Amino acid sequence: LYSAMFQFFMFFCGYSIPVSEVPAYWSWATHISFARYSFESLALNEFAYEEDDDGVGGTYWLKYWGFNHETKAKTFGWFVVSVAGFHVVAWAAMKYVSYERR
């Protein structure tokens, strides 16, 4: 189950399909994907305000992925919140879901 969820989150992180090109009926998946926020934080850290010699630099890639309207602190904060939220859900599932046969 974990590998299926992880693949789902990786698919909607913005790398394989840019966030701006995800269909409207799947946009909710980009908002709950912890992989999106980690990838977005790393991309903003690496590419924000960077330009190459040929003029195609970091700002091009941030626009391509749909990350050009966010800040590093905001995306990292959402990453921490989403990981903490999934840990709480996993803890609750382990505590309250019983798989013992009766």
XYZ file of all heavy atoms in Angstrom:
855
model
N 0.826 -1.194 0.000
C 0.000 0.000 0.000
C 0.873 1.261 0.000
O 0.560 2.213 -0.679
C -0.930 -0.014 1.205
C -1.911 1.154 1.301
C -2.857 1.154 0.118
C -2.684 1.077 2.579
N 1.963 1.208 0.773
C 2.844 2.381 0.834
C 3.431 2.708 -0.536
O 3.469 3.868 -0.929
C 3.961 2.157 1.848
C 4.982 3.259 1.829
C 4.708 4.482 2.431
C 6.194 3.102 1.177
C 5.624 5.515 2.403
C 7.117 4.132 1.146
C 6.825 5.332 1.757
O 7.724 6.345 1.710
N 3.876 1.687 -1.261
C 4.500 1.951 -2.557
C 3.497 2.526 -3.552
O 3.857 3.382 -4.372
C 5.138 0.681 -3.112
O 4.172 -0.318 -3.295
N 2.258 2.106 -3.488
C 1.227 2.666 -4.373
C 0.958 4.130 -4.029
O 0.844 4.975 -4.932
C -0.048 1.851 -4.268
N 0.865 4.445 -2.740
C 0.648 5.832 -2.337
C 1.845 6.704 -2.697
O 1.682 7.832 -3.164
C 0.372 5.911 -0.838
C -0.987 5.420 -0.453
S -1.314 5.596 1.306
C -1.179 7.355 1.527
N 3.042 6.166 -2.494
C 4.239 6.933 -2.815
C 4.298 7.230 -4.316
O 4.612 8.359 -4.722
C 5.488 6.175 -2.370
C 6.751 6.948 -2.576
C 7.084 7.984 -1.730
C 7.599 6.643 -3.627
C 8.239 8.708 -1.916
C 8.757 7.365 -3.832
C 9.081 8.398 -2.970
N 3.992 6.242 -5.148
C 3.991 6.455 -6.597
C 2.939 7.487 -6.987
O 3.164 8.319 -7.857
C 3.735 5.138 -7.336
C 3.786 5.279 -8.831
C 5.131 5.757 -9.318
O 6.168 5.383 -8.800
N 5.119 6.606 -10.322
N 1.779 7.428 -6.350
C 0.725 8.408 -6.613
C 1.209 9.820 -6.309
O 1.038 10.740 -7.107
C -0.505 8.065 -5.772
C -1.633 9.042 -5.921
C -2.478 8.982 -7.011
C -1.848 10.020 -4.959
C -3.520 9.882 -7.158
C -2.883 10.918 -5.091
C -3.721 10.848 -6.189
N 1.837 10.000 -5.146
C 2.322 11.318 -4.767
C 3.459 11.780 -5.672
O 3.567 12.961 -5.987
C 2.758 11.340 -3.311
C 1.619 11.227 -2.349
C 1.704 10.390 -1.252
C 0.463 11.953 -2.523
C 0.664 10.291 -0.357
C -0.587 11.862 -1.640
C -0.490 11.021 -0.557
N 4.313 10.863 -6.081
C 5.410 11.237 -6.982
C 4.884 11.651 -8.349
O 5.443 12.518 -9.005
C 6.403 10.080 -7.124
C 7.210 9.815 -5.881
S 8.163 11.237 -5.324
C 9.328 11.402 -6.643
N 3.803 11.012 -8.785
C 3.233 11.339 -10.085
C 2.697 12.769 -10.109
O 2.757 13.442 -11.129
C 2.130 10.340 -10.436
C 1.626 10.458 -11.835
C 2.436 10.109 -12.906
C 0.353 10.908 -12.091
C 1.975 10.215 -14.196
C -0.110 11.022 -13.383
C 0.703 10.669 -14.441
N 2.179 13.235 -8.989
C 1.591 14.570 -8.924
C 2.483 15.586 -8.221
O 2.008 16.609 -7.747
C 0.224 14.512 -8.238
C -0.810 13.849 -9.078
C -1.224 12.568 -8.796
C -1.346 14.493 -10.176
C -2.171 11.940 -9.572
C -2.291 13.880 -10.964
C -2.704 12.593 -10.668
N 3.784 15.334 -8.161
C 4.675 16.286 -7.483
C 5.045 17.469 -8.371
O 5.522 18.472 -7.882
C 5.925 15.583 -6.975
S 7.141 15.177 -8.229
N 4.826 17.372 -9.670
C 5.137 18.471 -10.566
C 6.304 18.189 -11.477
O 6.598 18.969 -12.374
N 7.005 17.082 -11.277
C 8.160 16.773 -12.119
C 7.731 16.104 -13.418
O 8.112 16.544 -14.493
C 9.147 15.887 -11.368
C 10.403 15.619 -12.151
C 11.356 16.618 -12.294
C 10.630 14.397 -12.756
C 12.507 16.395 -13.018
C 11.783 14.164 -13.478
C 12.712 15.160 -13.610
O 13.838 14.944 -14.326
N 6.942 15.051 -13.338
C 6.526 14.362 -14.557
C 5.422 15.119 -15.280
O 5.411 15.185 -16.504
C 6.074 12.931 -14.249
O 5.052 12.942 -13.291
N 4.487 15.685 -14.547
C 3.450 16.548 -15.104
C 3.536 17.876 -14.362
O 3.337 17.914 -13.148
C 2.038 15.959 -14.905
C 1.913 14.599 -15.562
C 0.981 16.904 -15.459
C 0.594 13.919 -15.281
N 3.859 18.964 -15.045
C 3.922 20.258 -14.355
C 2.601 20.568 -13.656
O 1.521 20.240 -14.160
C 4.210 21.247 -15.481
C 4.895 20.432 -16.526
C 4.256 19.078 -16.453
N 2.702 21.191 -12.503
C 1.524 21.491 -11.688
C 0.499 22.296 -12.479
O -0.707 22.072 -12.362
C 1.940 22.235 -10.396
C 0.734 22.701 -9.613
C 2.824 21.346 -9.551
N 0.953 23.203 -13.310
C 0.027 24.041 -14.074
C -0.696 23.260 -15.174
O -1.699 23.737 -15.704
C 0.779 25.215 -14.687
O 1.842 24.743 -15.498
N -0.223 22.062 -15.540
C -0.842 21.282 -16.605
C -1.667 20.098 -16.103
O -2.199 19.338 -16.905
C 0.228 20.781 -17.571
C 0.916 21.896 -18.313
C 1.958 21.397 -19.290
O 1.945 20.207 -19.631
O 2.789 22.215 -19.695
N -1.778 19.935 -14.812
C -2.591 18.859 -14.255
C -4.056 19.196 -14.522
O -4.486 20.334 -14.295
C -2.329 18.704 -12.738
C -3.297 17.724 -12.108
C -0.902 18.274 -12.503
N -4.848 18.236 -15.010
C -6.272 18.514 -15.251
C -6.979 18.976 -13.977
O -6.602 18.593 -12.863
C -6.827 17.161 -15.711
C -5.648 16.407 -16.214
C -4.482 16.880 -15.410
N -8.012 19.780 -14.156
C -8.712 20.376 -13.010
C -9.266 19.320 -12.064
O -9.244 19.508 -10.853
C -9.836 21.281 -13.504
N -9.743 18.203 -12.595
C -10.323 17.189 -11.722
C -9.269 16.405 -10.947
O -9.605 15.646 -10.048
C -11.235 16.239 -12.513
C -10.612 15.629 -13.743
C -9.895 14.445 -13.677
C -10.751 16.253 -14.976
C -9.319 13.889 -14.805
C -10.191 15.700 -16.107
C -9.487 14.523 -16.022
O -8.924 13.976 -17.135
N -7.984 16.571 -11.258
C -6.894 15.947 -10.485
C -6.096 16.975 -9.695
O -5.098 16.631 -9.055
C -5.936 15.203 -11.409
C -6.424 13.859 -11.817
C -6.887 13.505 -13.048
C -6.510 12.688 -11.009
N -7.251 12.192 -13.053
C -7.028 11.654 -11.806
C -6.208 12.422 -9.681
C -7.239 10.385 -11.320
C -6.422 11.150 -9.203
C -6.935 10.144 -10.015
N -6.486 18.230 -9.712
C -5.688 19.264 -9.033
C -5.626 19.046 -7.525
O -4.663 19.469 -6.884
C -6.236 20.652 -9.349
O -7.524 20.807 -8.809
N -6.631 18.406 -6.944
C -6.600 18.121 -5.511
C -5.398 17.244 -5.147
O -4.863 17.359 -4.052
C -7.893 17.437 -5.067
C -8.134 16.117 -5.727
C -8.796 15.909 -6.899
C -7.688 14.844 -5.288
N -8.796 14.571 -7.218
C -8.116 13.887 -6.233
C -6.971 14.399 -4.185
C -7.846 12.530 -6.107
C -6.704 13.046 -4.067
C -7.142 12.132 -5.017
N -4.974 16.389 -6.080
C -3.857 15.482 -5.803
C -2.543 16.248 -5.658
O -1.677 15.843 -4.878
C -3.743 14.433 -6.897
N -2.395 17.339 -6.377
C -1.165 18.122 -6.243
C -1.106 18.833 -4.898
O -0.030 19.097 -4.387
C -1.023 19.156 -7.372
O -2.087 20.099 -7.298
C -1.022 18.490 -8.730
N -2.271 19.142 -4.338
C -2.295 19.854 -3.063
C -2.015 18.950 -1.875
O -1.543 19.428 -0.840
C -3.635 20.560 -2.873
C -3.882 21.629 -3.885
N -3.143 22.788 -3.950
C -4.765 21.699 -4.898
C -3.569 23.528 -4.947
N -4.553 22.888 -5.545
N -2.291 17.652 -1.978
C -2.032 16.758 -0.851
C -0.712 16.003 -1.001
O -0.330 15.256 -0.116
C -3.183 15.755 -0.635
C -3.306 14.789 -1.811
C -4.487 16.473 -0.360
C -4.178 13.593 -1.511
N -0.016 16.193 -2.108
C 1.220 15.455 -2.363
C 2.388 16.069 -1.586
O 2.819 17.188 -1.868
C 1.537 15.475 -3.858
O 2.786 14.903 -4.103
N 2.902 15.311 -0.611
C 4.061 15.809 0.130
C 5.286 15.876 -0.772
O 6.176 16.701 -0.563
C 4.343 14.946 1.354
C 4.730 13.528 1.045
C 6.043 13.197 0.796
C 3.773 12.540 0.993
C 6.398 11.897 0.504
C 4.110 11.240 0.714
C 5.429 10.911 0.460
N 5.337 15.034 -1.799
C 6.466 15.061 -2.732
C 6.486 16.357 -3.528
O 7.550 16.857 -3.884
C 6.395 13.859 -3.669
N 5.317 16.922 -3.802
C 5.267 18.194 -4.523
C 5.949 19.290 -3.723
O 6.745 20.060 -4.246
C 3.825 18.608 -4.789
C 3.756 19.992 -5.415
C 2.522 20.732 -5.059
N 2.623 22.121 -5.505
C 1.594 22.905 -5.645
N 0.390 22.459 -5.396
N 1.769 24.143 -6.008
N 5.642 19.345 -2.432
C 6.193 20.426 -1.619
C 7.690 20.256 -1.385
O 8.425 21.244 -1.336
C 5.426 20.546 -0.307
C 3.994 20.951 -0.541
C 2.948 20.076 -0.304
C 3.687 22.198 -1.055
C 1.637 20.451 -0.544
C 2.390 22.580 -1.306
C 1.362 21.698 -1.055
O 0.074 22.062 -1.303
N 8.156 19.036 -1.273
C 9.604 18.845 -1.133
C 10.311 19.189 -2.442
O 11.341 19.859 -2.435
C 9.927 17.420 -0.697
O 9.500 16.487 -1.655
N 9.749 18.744 -3.573
C 10.344 19.068 -4.872
C 10.286 20.569 -5.141
O 11.256 21.164 -5.627
C 9.618 18.294 -5.980
C 10.094 18.617 -7.364
C 11.414 18.418 -7.719
C 9.224 19.116 -8.304
C 11.863 18.720 -9.000
C 9.656 19.418 -9.575
C 10.970 19.219 -9.931
N 9.172 21.188 -4.799
C 9.034 22.625 -5.015
C 10.012 23.414 -4.153
O 10.617 24.383 -4.617
C 7.591 23.049 -4.722
C 7.290 24.470 -5.087
C 5.804 24.782 -4.982
O 5.005 23.876 -4.703
O 5.462 25.959 -5.181
N 10.197 23.011 -2.919
C 11.162 23.687 -2.040
C 12.574 23.585 -2.596
O 13.318 24.569 -2.613
C 11.124 23.083 -0.643
O 9.907 23.308 -0.028
N 12.938 22.387 -3.042
C 14.272 22.207 -3.624
C 14.443 23.005 -4.908
O 15.495 23.609 -5.150
C 14.543 20.729 -3.869
C 14.718 19.878 -2.622
C 14.761 18.404 -2.993
C 15.958 20.278 -1.871
N 13.412 23.010 -5.760
C 13.491 23.763 -7.017
C 13.605 25.262 -6.751
O 14.397 25.956 -7.403
C 12.278 23.462 -7.886
N 12.831 25.768 -5.805
C 12.921 27.190 -5.467
C 14.279 27.532 -4.876
O 14.850 28.587 -5.179
C 11.814 27.576 -4.487
C 10.417 27.694 -5.088
C 9.374 27.765 -3.990
C 10.337 28.914 -5.983
N 14.810 26.660 -4.051
C 16.125 26.903 -3.468
C 17.208 26.936 -4.538
O 18.131 27.742 -4.481
C 16.435 25.834 -2.426
C 17.691 26.144 -1.664
O 17.825 27.240 -1.141
N 18.598 25.192 -1.603
N 17.076 26.061 -5.519
C 18.110 25.957 -6.545
C 17.968 27.001 -7.651
O 18.949 27.558 -8.115
C 18.074 24.557 -7.166
C 19.167 24.291 -8.168
C 20.548 24.283 -7.554
O 20.680 23.968 -6.359
O 21.503 24.602 -8.288
N 16.734 27.275 -8.088
C 16.540 28.052 -9.309
C 16.017 29.461 -9.125
O 15.954 30.217 -10.094
C 15.582 27.316 -10.256
C 16.116 26.019 -10.758
C 15.433 24.844 -10.520
C 17.295 25.964 -11.473
C 15.909 23.639 -10.988
C 17.790 24.770 -11.945
C 17.092 23.598 -11.698
N 15.597 29.849 -7.944
C 15.016 31.184 -7.764
C 16.056 32.260 -8.064
O 17.175 32.225 -7.554
C 14.481 31.343 -6.354
N 15.677 33.172 -8.918
C 16.491 34.343 -9.274
C 17.810 33.973 -9.962
O 18.770 34.716 -9.894
C 16.764 35.219 -8.054
C 15.522 35.535 -7.282
C 15.332 35.025 -6.005
C 14.518 36.314 -7.839
C 14.178 35.301 -5.293
C 13.365 36.589 -7.134
C 13.201 36.087 -5.868
O 12.070 36.348 -5.163
N 17.856 32.825 -10.606
C 19.054 32.413 -11.321
C 18.834 32.568 -12.823
O 17.785 32.248 -13.340
C 19.398 30.945 -11.021
C 19.810 30.694 -9.609
C 21.155 31.286 -9.263
O 22.029 31.330 -10.142
O 21.321 31.715 -8.116
N 19.830 33.040 -13.516
C 19.797 33.151 -14.975
C 21.082 32.566 -15.533
O 22.159 32.781 -14.986
C 19.665 34.603 -15.424
C 18.318 35.219 -15.155
C 17.200 34.618 -15.986
O 17.467 34.106 -17.094
O 16.052 34.640 -15.512
N 20.957 31.805 -16.601
C 22.133 31.280 -17.280
C 22.662 32.320 -18.252
O 22.053 33.355 -18.492
C 21.792 29.999 -18.051
C 21.501 28.842 -17.108
O 21.939 28.905 -15.944
O 20.848 27.898 -17.548
N 23.796 32.013 -18.865
C 24.388 32.935 -19.835
C 23.499 33.136 -21.051
O 23.498 34.198 -21.652
C 25.759 32.419 -20.290
C 26.771 32.440 -19.165
O 26.586 33.236 -18.224
O 27.733 31.658 -19.227
N 22.728 32.103 -21.425
C 21.888 32.229 -22.610
C 20.500 32.796 -22.296
O 19.654 32.880 -23.174
C 21.740 30.884 -23.318
C 21.132 29.818 -22.437
O 20.868 30.102 -21.259
O 20.922 28.703 -22.935
N 20.246 33.184 -21.064
C 18.984 33.795 -20.689
C 17.905 32.815 -20.270
O 16.834 33.227 -19.856
N 18.153 31.531 -20.437
C 17.189 30.515 -20.014
C 17.730 29.899 -18.746
O 18.617 29.068 -18.771
C 16.986 29.437 -21.102
C 16.006 28.384 -20.618
C 16.504 30.068 -22.384
N 17.216 30.335 -17.645
C 17.750 29.851 -16.380
C 16.678 29.327 -15.476
O 15.702 28.723 -15.911
N 16.886 29.575 -14.202
C 15.997 29.041 -13.194
C 14.580 29.546 -13.292
O 13.639 28.799 -13.036
N 14.406 30.804 -13.666
C 13.045 31.331 -13.752
C 12.240 30.611 -14.830
O 11.035 30.428 -14.670
C 13.056 32.836 -14.023
O 13.848 33.108 -15.181
C 13.628 33.596 -12.844
N 12.887 30.176 -15.897
C 12.195 29.402 -16.936
C 11.669 28.091 -16.355
O 10.511 27.724 -16.579
C 13.131 29.112 -18.112
C 12.581 28.067 -19.048
C 11.614 28.410 -19.987
C 12.994 26.743 -18.970
C 11.087 27.455 -20.833
C 12.472 25.784 -19.806
C 11.521 26.138 -20.747
O 10.997 25.194 -21.577
N 12.504 27.375 -15.615
C 12.099 26.087 -15.071
C 11.037 26.243 -13.995
O 10.132 25.411 -13.881
C 13.314 25.320 -14.549
C 14.150 24.838 -15.671
C 15.373 25.305 -16.033
C 13.802 23.823 -16.604
N 15.815 24.641 -17.143
C 14.865 23.722 -17.513
C 12.700 23.002 -16.777
C 14.854 22.826 -18.572
C 12.689 22.099 -17.826
C 13.760 22.023 -18.711
N 11.122 27.278 -13.189
C 10.085 27.505 -12.188
C 8.741 27.792 -12.840
O 7.702 27.311 -12.378
C 10.486 28.637 -11.247
C 11.680 28.340 -10.335
C 12.034 29.574 -9.525
C 11.404 27.152 -9.440
N 8.740 28.556 -13.925
C 7.492 28.802 -14.652
C 6.994 27.529 -15.312
O 5.792 27.258 -15.328
C 7.702 29.885 -15.710
C 7.824 31.270 -15.140
C 8.062 32.276 -16.230
C 8.368 33.632 -15.647
N 8.760 34.598 -16.681
N 7.897 26.737 -15.860
C 7.516 25.485 -16.518
C 6.830 24.533 -15.536
O 5.794 23.936 -15.851
C 8.753 24.819 -17.123
C 8.478 23.446 -17.679
C 7.820 23.298 -18.895
C 8.877 22.315 -16.991
C 7.558 22.031 -19.408
C 8.618 21.054 -17.486
C 7.966 20.918 -18.702
O 7.701 19.665 -19.196
N 7.390 24.375 -14.349
C 6.825 23.480 -13.347
C 5.628 24.094 -12.619
O 4.928 23.409 -11.888
C 7.877 23.067 -12.327
C 8.863 22.073 -12.840
C 8.605 20.985 -13.619
C 10.266 22.071 -12.614
N 9.764 20.306 -13.887
C 10.802 20.949 -13.278
C 11.125 22.903 -11.914
C 12.148 20.645 -13.256
C 12.459 22.599 -11.894
C 12.972 21.486 -12.567
N 5.418 25.392 -12.777
C 4.309 26.065 -12.099
C 4.634 26.484 -10.686
O 3.739 26.652 -9.866
N 5.917 26.682 -10.387
C 6.358 27.015 -9.035
C 6.761 28.479 -8.884
O 7.356 28.849 -7.888
C 7.572 26.170 -8.642
C 7.316 24.691 -8.601
C 8.371 23.815 -8.729
C 6.057 24.175 -8.429
C 8.168 22.447 -8.689
C 5.838 22.818 -8.388
C 6.902 21.955 -8.511
N 6.457 29.319 -9.840
C 6.989 30.678 -9.826
C 6.227 31.641 -8.921
O 6.619 32.779 -8.777
C 7.043 31.240 -11.247
C 5.702 31.183 -11.948
O 4.862 30.350 -11.627
N 5.510 32.053 -12.915
N 5.138 31.218 -8.277
C 4.359 32.127 -7.439
C 4.495 31.827 -5.952
O 3.744 32.359 -5.148
C 2.886 32.058 -7.830
C 2.629 32.440 -9.246
N 2.862 33.710 -9.732
C 2.188 31.719 -10.298
C 2.560 33.752 -11.006
N 2.154 32.542 -11.383
N 5.430 30.976 -5.583
C 5.547 30.541 -4.191
C 6.878 31.000 -3.592
O 7.780 31.413 -4.302
C 5.451 29.015 -4.102
C 4.171 28.447 -4.664
C 2.935 28.872 -3.890
O 3.061 29.201 -2.702
O 1.858 28.859 -4.482
N 6.973 30.900 -2.273
C 8.215 31.193 -1.576
C 8.764 29.916 -0.957
O 8.017 28.974 -0.707
C 7.997 32.237 -0.466
O 7.127 31.685 0.514
C 7.423 33.529 -1.020
N 10.063 29.908 -0.706
C 10.694 28.723 -0.116
C 10.109 28.405 1.254
O 9.831 27.255 1.564
C 12.207 28.924 0.013
C 12.943 28.852 -1.287
C 14.431 28.892 -1.061
C 14.902 30.309 -0.932
N 16.354 30.438 -0.888
N 9.922 29.412 2.069
C 9.424 29.193 3.427
C 8.006 28.629 3.410
O 7.680 27.717 4.177
C 9.464 30.497 4.211
N 7.165 29.137 2.518
C 5.784 28.663 2.448
C 5.726 27.206 1.989
O 5.012 26.393 2.588
C 4.983 29.543 1.489
C 3.539 29.159 1.371
C 2.825 30.096 0.410
C 1.395 29.659 0.180
N 0.723 30.508 -0.793
N 6.477 26.851 0.963
C 6.429 25.476 0.470
C 7.057 24.508 1.470
O 6.554 23.399 1.644
C 7.117 25.325 -0.893
O 8.451 25.811 -0.815
C 6.370 26.090 -1.953
N 8.122 24.925 2.137
C 8.712 24.051 3.145
C 7.763 23.871 4.334
O 7.646 22.787 4.885
C 10.063 24.588 3.617
C 10.753 23.658 4.568
C 11.286 22.473 4.119
C 10.844 23.963 5.916
C 11.908 21.590 5.001
C 11.462 23.103 6.803
C 11.992 21.911 6.327
N 7.065 24.938 4.690
C 6.072 24.837 5.753
C 4.961 23.861 5.401
O 4.561 23.035 6.224
N 4.459 23.921 4.160
C 3.431 22.972 3.724
C 3.973 21.553 3.683
O 3.247 20.589 3.957
C 2.862 23.361 2.370
C 1.813 24.415 2.471
C 1.894 25.690 1.984
C 0.544 24.310 3.103
N 0.749 26.377 2.294
C -0.105 25.541 2.972
C -0.113 23.288 3.777
C -1.371 25.783 3.487
C -1.382 23.524 4.282
C -1.993 24.756 4.130
N 5.243 21.402 3.335
C 5.857 20.073 3.350
C 5.859 19.498 4.766
O 5.456 18.350 4.984
C 7.283 20.150 2.799
C 8.077 18.902 3.003
C 7.768 17.748 2.306
C 9.129 18.872 3.892
C 8.490 16.584 2.492
C 9.860 17.723 4.084
C 9.538 16.576 3.382
N 6.266 20.288 5.739
C 6.302 19.826 7.132
C 4.893 19.483 7.608
O 4.670 18.446 8.242
C 6.965 20.890 8.035
C 6.788 20.555 9.494
C 8.440 21.027 7.685
N 3.917 20.333 7.288
C 2.533 20.085 7.696
C 2.003 18.809 7.048
O 1.350 17.988 7.714
C 1.643 21.297 7.347
C 0.169 20.960 7.446
C 1.992 22.468 8.240
N 2.263 18.599 5.766
C 1.730 17.413 5.088
C 2.383 16.134 5.601
O 1.699 15.124 5.798
C 1.888 17.530 3.564
O 3.246 17.561 3.195
N 3.680 16.150 5.852
C 4.346 14.959 6.397
C 3.834 14.675 7.807
O 3.541 13.521 8.145
C 5.879 15.126 6.376
C 6.562 14.050 7.181
C 6.380 15.102 4.949
N 3.679 15.708 8.621
C 3.142 15.504 9.970
C 1.719 14.969 9.910
O 1.350 14.064 10.672
C 3.189 16.816 10.758
N 0.924 15.485 8.992
C -0.446 15.001 8.839
C -0.501 13.539 8.441
O -1.308 12.765 8.982
N 0.343 13.134 7.511
C 0.354 11.734 7.107
C 0.882 10.827 8.217
O 0.461 9.685 8.336
C 1.141 11.542 5.817
C 0.354 11.944 4.613
C 0.703 13.066 3.889
C -0.757 11.214 4.209
C -0.034 13.452 2.785
C -1.495 11.590 3.108
C -1.141 12.712 2.398
N 1.790 11.338 9.040
C 2.242 10.551 10.188
C 1.098 10.361 11.198
O 0.963 9.277 11.779
C 3.444 11.218 10.864
C 4.733 10.882 10.231
N 5.204 11.532 9.128
C 5.652 9.936 10.539
C 6.361 11.023 8.781
N 6.664 10.042 9.626
N 0.309 11.382 11.403
C -0.833 11.268 12.316
C -1.843 10.266 11.771
O -2.367 9.422 12.514
C -1.481 12.646 12.555
C -2.832 12.521 13.248
C -0.547 13.539 13.350
N -2.125 10.314 10.478
C -3.060 9.361 9.868
C -2.514 7.940 9.981
O -3.254 7.001 10.320
C -3.344 9.737 8.398
C -4.088 8.634 7.674
C -4.120 11.036 8.333
N -1.226 7.755 9.723
C -0.629 6.420 9.831
C -0.668 5.926 11.275
O -0.973 4.753 11.523
C 0.814 6.449 9.326
N -0.381 6.798 12.232
C -0.441 6.410 13.639
C -1.854 6.000 14.030
O -2.057 4.987 14.699
C 0.029 7.562 14.518
C -0.214 7.307 15.972
C 0.549 6.564 16.812
C -1.325 7.770 16.738
N -0.009 6.541 18.057
C -1.170 7.270 18.033
C -2.434 8.554 16.436
C -2.085 7.544 19.038
C -3.340 8.813 17.439
C -3.151 8.308 18.725
N -2.847 6.795 13.598
C -4.234 6.477 13.926
C -4.651 5.146 13.299
O -5.350 4.348 13.933
C -5.153 7.602 13.458
N -4.208 4.890 12.087
C -4.539 3.619 11.445
C -3.907 2.454 12.190
O -4.549 1.413 12.390
C -4.075 3.638 9.986
N -2.668 2.607 12.618
C -2.013 1.519 13.345
C -2.636 1.303 14.723
O -2.699 0.187 15.215
C -0.518 1.803 13.498
C 0.239 1.655 12.201
S 2.013 1.809 12.398
C 2.176 3.548 12.750
N -3.096 2.370 15.339
C -3.656 2.255 16.684
C -5.084 1.723 16.670
O -5.438 0.889 17.506
C -3.628 3.612 17.375
C -4.181 3.574 18.785
C -3.647 4.695 19.595
C -4.197 4.698 20.986
N -3.721 3.610 21.809
N -5.900 2.169 15.748
C -7.328 1.874 15.810
C -7.823 0.830 14.811
O -8.947 0.352 14.963
C -8.128 3.166 15.646
C -7.866 4.133 16.768
C -7.162 5.303 16.548
C -8.293 3.848 18.050
C -6.915 6.190 17.586
C -8.045 4.717 19.097
C -7.353 5.887 18.850
O -7.097 6.752 19.882
N -7.050 0.500 13.808
C -7.482 -0.519 12.854
C -6.883 -1.859 13.301
O -5.667 -1.994 13.412
C -7.036 -0.175 11.410
C -7.401 -1.305 10.472
C -7.652 1.121 10.972
N -7.741 -2.781 13.544
C -7.303 -4.098 14.012
C -7.498 -5.117 12.889
O -8.560 -5.188 12.279
C -8.102 -4.522 15.238
O -7.739 -5.815 15.603
N -6.456 -5.887 12.648
C -6.522 -6.901 11.610
C -6.575 -8.312 12.199
O -6.364 -9.281 11.515
C -5.317 -6.783 10.678
C -5.355 -5.512 9.864
C -4.550 -4.441 10.193
C -6.211 -5.389 8.782
C -4.597 -3.271 9.461
C -6.267 -4.234 8.050
C -5.449 -3.184 8.390
O -5.504 -2.036 7.657
N -6.872 -8.409 13.472
C -6.979 -9.717 14.108
C -8.260 -10.383 13.658
O -9.306 -9.744 13.525
C -6.980 -9.556 15.620
C -5.692 -9.044 16.175
C -5.740 -8.884 17.676
O -6.702 -9.367 18.307
O -4.823 -8.255 18.213
N -8.183 -11.662 13.423
C -9.388 -12.407 13.053
C -10.159 -12.776 14.311
O -9.590 -13.158 15.311
C -9.016 -13.663 12.293
C -8.365 -13.330 10.970
C -8.122 -14.601 10.196
N -7.386 -14.247 8.988
C -7.917 -14.285 7.787
N -9.162 -14.667 7.632
N -7.201 -13.969 6.747
N -11.447 -12.653 14.226
C -12.273 -12.957 15.394
C -12.949 -14.284 15.241
O -13.236 -14.804 14.278
C -13.315 -11.873 15.594
C -12.623 -10.594 15.938
C -13.613 -9.498 16.098
N -12.816 -8.274 16.190
C -13.264 -7.181 16.670
N -14.481 -7.100 17.089
N -12.513 -6.123 16.733
